[in-house]
Amino acid sequence: MKTELVIFDLDGTLLDTIGDLAVACNAVLGVRGLPQHTYEEYCHFVGNGILRLVERALPEPMRTPETIAAVRADFVKYYTEHIDAHTRPYDGIPELVGELARRGVGLAVASNKFQAGTEKLIRLFFPGVTFAAVFGQRPGVPLKPSPAVVEEILALTGVAKDRVLYVGDSGVDIETAAAAGVRGAGVTWGFRDRAELVAAGARHLVDRPDELLGLL
């Protein structure tokens, strides 16, 4: 079946955002006199939304709902203001997105990043591209690997499941695609390694953005 819609994860798939995420989280930890973390540690903290990122970054005794909520609020403020200091598209991504648009393939984003941050990054880095949907974390919508966000995109676009390709860099993304009943592809240039994608059941793995064109 011809692919009519490609749904992308954002962090670790379209954009290398880990530098800004790490700087923002370390900043809010630092003002509280708390231990900070390395780039490599943040690669494993992300993927399940900002709340879980903050929870994982805090010392275990401080992981109370009140502290997590307060640190999250500070993180979102700092991160939103400095969201593109280190963030860049991965090599080949602008060309891939442009080629998909040229071929008339629909584009969408399904992220666990908070909605305002997701929208801002897409506006900044893909200003001339039309996306059918750009969805991040929103109140009342379960985070991935729940299929809710993919199902919402399918309902909005009217594209049949067997004409959709979902693309992401983590086990969460592979599980999301499976739960939604759409084809999934794992990319190896993101924050997680090939072993995690394989363990999650990835049937397609790609090492370069242009390889995704072969899955259409």
Side-chain angles (χ1 to χ4, degrees), residues 114-136:
F114 61 102
Q115 181 68 22
T118 300
E119 291 177 343
K120 185 172 183 177
L121 286 172
I122 292 298
R123 286 196 307 269
L124 285 170
F125 290 102
F126 303 98
V129 180
T130 298
F131 286 84
V134 176
F135 289 150

Side-chain angles (χ1 to χ4, degrees), residues 48-56 68-69 72:
N48 300 98
I50 299 303
L51 202 67
R52 290 300 304 278
L53 166 61
V54 168
E55 179 183 355
R56 289 163 177 161
I68 292 170
R72 182 191 186 279

Side-chain angles (χ1 to χ4, degrees), residues 9 17 83 107:
D9 171 53
T17 57
I83 201 166
L107 303 167

Side-chain angles (χ1 to χ4, degrees), residues 181-196:
V182 301
R183 281 192 306 144
V187 306
T188 62
W189 58 77
F191 303 153
R192 304 297 172 82
D193 59 24
R194 181 182 293 264
E196 177 175 314

Side-chain angles (χ1 to χ4, degrees), residues 79-96:
Y79 179 68
T80 303
E81 292 172 355
H82 303 86
I83 201 166
D84 61 339
H86 305 285
T87 292
R88 298 290 182 272
Y90 287 100
D91 290 345
I93 286 294
E95 294 80 3
L96 170 66

Side-chain angles (χ1 to χ4, degrees), residues 145-176:
S146 164
V149 64
V150 173
E151 291 169 348
E152 187 176 359
I153 292 170
L154 297 183
L156 180 67
T157 60
V159 178
K161 290 183 178 182
D162 58 3
R163 293 178 179 266
V164 174
L165 178 65
Y166 179 95
V167 181
D169 72 305
S170 72
V172 166
D173 293 306
I174 301 304
E175 293 166 10
T176 300

